[in-house]
Amino acid sequence: MTEKINSKFYDYNRLGDLLFIFHKNHKTYLNNALEEYDLNLIQVLCMLRIHNEENLNQKDLSDSLYITKGAITKAIKKLEFNGIIIREQSKEDKRNNVLRLSKKGEDLIPILEEINNEWEEKMGLDKLEEEFFKTFIDLAFKSAELNDNE
């Protein structure tokens, strides 16, 4: 007779497991809201990063968002095809392409911010203490560093 092993691999009382649920449902909510604009969360993250930083290339985008180069390439191709971003040859390094938003892309930024603000408001995130966010940011970057060391 086989005895069941009491596994604590996935446990609703652990922070990592709760973060997974939180992230999964946040992503689902945003992807559903973005469907109307023929966008998904990865594409929007790319757009927002391009909007906020000049002379960004795909490698820098991948590194800064902690998203694989393949996923970034797919997102960029779709955004370019839909006229939301423009790839231009870098003036500093002709071997590199830099990314910028088109007028259509810039016009979408306030809409995207409103979609996320609405979610944050519904979630009550504005009521959380600043110390919580500081601790959470520290933990997020520490988790990223753990993966960089491998």
Side-chain angles (χ1 to χ4, degrees):
M1 184 161 140
T2 348
E3 189 176 322
K4 272 191 168 180
I5 298 172
N6 186 9
S7 174
K8 292 282 187 181
F9 189 76
Y10 193 78
D11 183 347
Y12 296 128
N13 295 310
R14 291 194 337 209
L15 181 61
D17 297 336
L18 292 171
L19 289 173
F20 174 78
I21 294 166
F22 186 87
H23 168 73
K24 180 184 177 299
N25 287 291
H26 180 221
K27 181 179 173 182
T28 300
Y29 177 92
L30 292 177
N31 279 331
N32 287 339
L34 295 167
E35 208 171 79
E36 175 183 344
Y37 303 95
D38 193 26
L39 293 168
N40 66 37
L41 182 56
I42 291 176
Q43 294 162 352
V44 167
L45 292 173
C46 291
M47 290 173 63
L48 293 171
R49 192 80 179 127
I50 293 166
H51 173 73
N52 290 319
E53 190 171 327
E54 289 184 24
N55 297 318
L56 197 63
N57 63 37
Q58 283 183 230
K59 183 190 178 324
D60 295 337
L61 193 57
S62 174
D63 292 345
S64 68
L65 292 174
Y66 302 97
I67 297 174
T68 65
K69 290 176 188 171
I72 293 293
T73 298
K74 183 178 177 184
I76 294 302
K77 282 183 179 180
K78 174 102 186 269
L79 290 169
E80 189 175 30
F81 179 80
N82 288 339
I84 293 171
I85 66 160
I86 299 166
R87 272 191 252 213
E88 297 175 329
Q89 192 176 51
S90 170
K91 292 173 182 143
E92 290 82 33
D93 182 354
K94 303 291 185 204
R95 298 168 296 170
N96 235 343
N97 287 321
V98 293
L99 307 168
R100 71 175 178 84
L101 292 179
S102 66
K103 167 93 169 82
K104 180 179 178 180
E106 288 292 345
D107 290 346
L108 284 167
I109 294 296
I111 295 166
L112 304 175
E113 289 173 345
E114 181 57 35
I115 289 169
N116 194 59
N117 289 343
E118 182 180 292
W119 179 83
E120 287 184 3
E121 187 177 304
K122 286 178 180 180
M123 290 296 296
L125 297 183
D126 56 332
K127 294 173 181 61
L128 295 174
E129 298 292 326
E130 189 175 326
E131 187 62 29
F132 171 85
F133 282 107
K134 183 185 176 316
T135 301
F136 191 75
I137 289 167
D138 291 344
L139 288 171
F141 284 105
K142 184 175 183 176
S143 72
E145 287 172 13
L146 288 173
N147 289 321
D148 284 344
N149 292 333
E150 292 184 12

